[in-house]
């Protein structure tokens, strides 16, 4: 697989993309949150008589950089030292983009390898096609006072994977708040490293904003920001509204077993109170360890639902599955194989639409940052 060339100036697009595309299976995702309200692309109304058509999104052209990681040590963010005393570079991973009431596009993404651990960081732009976007210096850290990242792995803070929707004039940011410090029985979790803490229940948390600019944690009756916990390392939320019911898809890990990672869903009418979880996808042939089942993204397109799951960031491996049922994308190897559509060469993808043009964002090169390219849809024969 060819690597993208480095950016040579702030306005130069990354080149050598076309050869990469020619050797790849073309797929994509589709979704948009706009300042004027929830886009119909995220509000799905199904009906028995709908005409169905199978489509295949095609990446179209070169990548350009929109969210480079902050400069080392900038904005009072401490650096992380490696085992040999070298400074670790900041890296951008899971992210989300939306348009707020100010008319700007806003990118919130997880930056890892800071001296604190993982933080959420912010960029903005008037146009999706700008490169790079404005680095505002705004960031959000995990907050233990709200129950977030308690005794986090490797004694670091963990806050990650934001996803933003707008409902009844209020913006909701869902994000991974990582460790609750306890297992599902409420017993303090053992250890403080990845190898020792598979029994840790992690959490999906909520912030809200009246304008998409200033965010505050939503506090439930217990004073904490968590909407729900588990199973296991719950993270990477993605939301769509299907026939009036919110569906929140995310990654989880059952029974503390590294072989029982999967994609799960919970439903809600009000974005605050969520149902019990249910498994929607597990398939070991596409990556069996918990870190190979990440960043679920579910979208609807002309009668079909599509699930995208990232297996590897730096190798740009994301798998896509198609189903008529949003609660079943294959819950075992054979069932998932029947729904398998192919690979898309990106990581943690999301897609946006402006004036009839479509774009896909990706974190397939974390050290370079969040990138974007165009795409279009083709009818599958």
């Amino acid at each position: 697989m060819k690597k993208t060339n480095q950016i040579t100036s702030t306005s130069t697009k990354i080149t050598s993309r076309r050869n990469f595309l020619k050797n790849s299976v073309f797929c994509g995702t589709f979704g948009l949150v706009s300042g004027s309200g929830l886009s119909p692309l995220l509000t799905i109304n199904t009906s028995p008589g709908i005409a169905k058509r199978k489509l295949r999104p095609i990446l179209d052209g070169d990548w350009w950089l929109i969210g480079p990681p902050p400069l080392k040590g900038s904005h009072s963010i401490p650096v992380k030292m490696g085992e040999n005393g070298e400074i670790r570079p900041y890296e951008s991973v899971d992210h989300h983009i939306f348009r707020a009431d100010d008319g700007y596009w806003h990118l919130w993404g997880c930056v890892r390898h800071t001296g604190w651990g993982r933080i959420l960081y912010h960029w903005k732009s008037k146009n999706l096609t700008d490169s790079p976007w404005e680095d505002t210096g705004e960031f959000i850290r995990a907050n233990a006072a709200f129950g977030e990242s308690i005794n986090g792995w490797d004694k670091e803070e963990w806050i990650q994977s934001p996803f933003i929707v707008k409902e009844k004039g209020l913006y909701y940011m869902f994000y991974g708040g990582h460790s609750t410090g306890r297992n599902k029985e409420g017993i303090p979790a053992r250890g403080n490293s990845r190898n020792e803490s598979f029994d840790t229940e992690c959490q999906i948390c909520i912030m809200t904003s009246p304008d998409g600019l200033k965010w505050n944690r939503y506090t439930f009756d217990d004073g904490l920001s968590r909407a729900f916990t588990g199973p296991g390392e719950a993270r990477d939320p993605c939301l769509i509204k299907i026939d009036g019911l919110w569906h929140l898809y995310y990654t989880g890990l059952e029974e503390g077993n590294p072989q029982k990672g999967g994609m799960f869903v919970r439903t809600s009418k009000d974005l605050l109170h969520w149902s019990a979880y249910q498994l929607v996808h597990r398939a070991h042939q596409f990556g069996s360890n918990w870190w190979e089942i990440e960043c679920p993204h579910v979208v609807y397109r002309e009668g079909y639902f599509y699930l995208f799951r990232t297996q590897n960031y730096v190798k740009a491996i994301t798998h896509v599955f198609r189903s008529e049922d949003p609660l079943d994308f294959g819950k075992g190897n054979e069932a998932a194989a029947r729904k398998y559509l192919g690979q898309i060469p990106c990581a943690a993808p999301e897609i946006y639409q402006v004036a009839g043009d479509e774009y896909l964002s990706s974190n397939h090169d974390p050290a370079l940052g969040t990138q974007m390219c165009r795409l279009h849809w083709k009818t599958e024969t």
Side-chain angles (χ1 to χ4, degrees):
M1 183 187 71
K2 290 195 174 187
K3 287 187 176 180
T4 54
N5 294 337
Q6 291 191 355
I7 296 294
T8 56
S9 71
T10 58
S11 61
T12 303
K13 292 184 180 180
I14 301 171
T15 58
S16 297
R17 179 61 182 167
R18 290 183 178 87
N19 289 335
F20 184 28
L21 292 176
K22 289 178 181 177
N23 297 313
S24 306
V25 178
F26 305 139
C27 307
T29 63
F30 203 85
L32 167 69
V33 179
S34 68
S36 60
L38 185 67
S39 163
L41 299 176
L42 284 182
T43 304
I44 310 305
N45 296 308
T46 61
S47 61
I50 189 171
K52 296 183 178 181
R53 188 160 63 112
K54 296 179 180 178
L55 302 175
R56 184 173 296 271
I58 299 175
L59 298 177
D60 185 8
D62 300 332
W63 293 102
W64 64 90
L65 182 66
I66 60 172
L71 297 175
K72 293 179 181 178
S74 61
H75 308 300
S76 301
I77 301 172
V79 298
K80 180 178 180 178
M81 306 302 294
E83 294 181 358
N84 298 322
E86 76 281 6
I87 296 177
R88 296 287 301 274
Y90 300 144
E91 293 185 345
S92 297
V93 284
D94 36 48
H95 65 281
H96 188 74
I97 299 169
F98 72 104
R99 181 177 276 167
D101 289 355
D102 63 352
Y104 277 81
W105 290 95
H106 294 263
L107 164 61
W108 279 100
C110 175
V111 173
R112 64 187 181 187
H113 299 163
T114 78
W116 296 315
R118 299 192 178 204
I119 63 174
L120 299 184
Y121 199 82
H122 180 245
W123 303 258
K124 69 176 184 178
S125 176
K126 273 289 187 182
N127 304 297
L128 285 176
T129 54
D130 290 345
S131 178
W133 291 13
E134 178 186 347
D135 178 336
T136 69
E138 299 172 76
F139 60 85
I140 301 172
R141 296 173 59 183
N143 193 329
F146 292 90
E148 300 170 5
S149 194
I150 305 300
N151 296 325
W153 289 344
D154 302 319
K155 299 180 180 180
E156 291 187 345
E157 297 177 10
W158 287 67
I159 184 172
Q160 57 195 48
S161 56
F163 196 97
I164 297 155
V165 298
K166 187 178 183 182
E167 177 81 320
K168 297 180 179 178
L170 188 65
Y171 293 88
Y172 293 77
M173 179 192 292
F174 290 79
Y175 59 98
H178 210 248
S179 175
T180 64
R182 296 180 178 273
N183 63 19
K184 62 182 179 181
E185 283 78 32
I187 300 171
R190 64 183 186 275
N192 59 10
S193 72
R194 302 184 189 201
N195 295 328
E196 298 173 322
S197 297
F198 279 119
D199 61 345
T200 298
E201 286 290 279
C202 293
Q203 58 195 311
I204 300 297
C205 302
I206 300 177
M207 297 183 199
T208 59
S209 172
D211 55 11
L213 306 178
K214 183 178 180 181
W215 295 93
N216 292 292
R217 282 169 168 84
Y218 183 89
T219 54
F220 291 85
D221 291 342
D222 56 6
L224 306 180
S225 61
R226 65 184 64 142
F228 58 81
T229 64
E233 203 212 351
R235 66 187 192 280
D236 303 345
C238 166
L239 291 90
I240 60 173
K241 196 175 189 180
I242 305 171
D243 294 329
L245 187 67
W246 284 103
H247 289 60
L248 191 158
Y249 296 89
Y250 66 104
T251 294
L253 179 69
E254 290 186 300
E255 301 174 10
N257 184 346
Q259 296 297 310
K260 295 196 72 173
M263 305 301 190
F264 300 87
V265 69
R266 297 178 189 249
T267 60
S268 173
K269 294 181 179 180
D270 62 4
L271 292 172
L272 299 175
H273 303 89
W274 294 90
S275 70
Y277 76 82
Q278 57 180 304
L279 178 72
V280 296
H281 171 75
R282 179 180 289 141
H284 287 172
Q285 70 268 43
F286 304 105
S288 58
N289 293 313
W290 59 272
W291 62 84
E292 295 179 314
I293 309 172
E294 299 189 296
C295 307
H297 200 83
V298 176
V299 295
Y300 179 79
R301 200 66 174 152
E302 299 196 30
Y304 292 93
F305 293 89
Y306 297 81
L307 166 69
F308 299 80
R309 54 167 280 189
T310 295
Q311 180 180 357
N312 190 293
Y313 270 77
V314 297
K315 293 183 179 180
I317 300 175
T318 291
H319 301 286
V320 59
F321 303 81
R322 179 169 55 212
S323 176
E324 296 178 74
D325 182 355
L327 303 181
D328 185 3
F329 294 93
K331 303 177 185 180
N333 290 356
E334 293 184 6
R338 291 192 293 269
K339 298 179 183 293
Y340 187 57
L341 182 59
Q343 288 187 27
I344 174 173
C346 61
E350 296 192 13
I351 292 180
Y352 313 90
Q353 183 184 55
V354 178
D357 293 324
E358 301 177 21
Y359 306 85
L360 180 145
S361 56
S362 172
N363 287 123
H364 57 272
D365 188 344
L368 182 61
T370 303
Q371 302 178 62
M372 185 173 286
C373 72
R374 296 178 182 271
L375 81 161
H376 67 271
W377 293 78
K378 180 180 179 180
T379 302
E380 192 173 70
T381 57

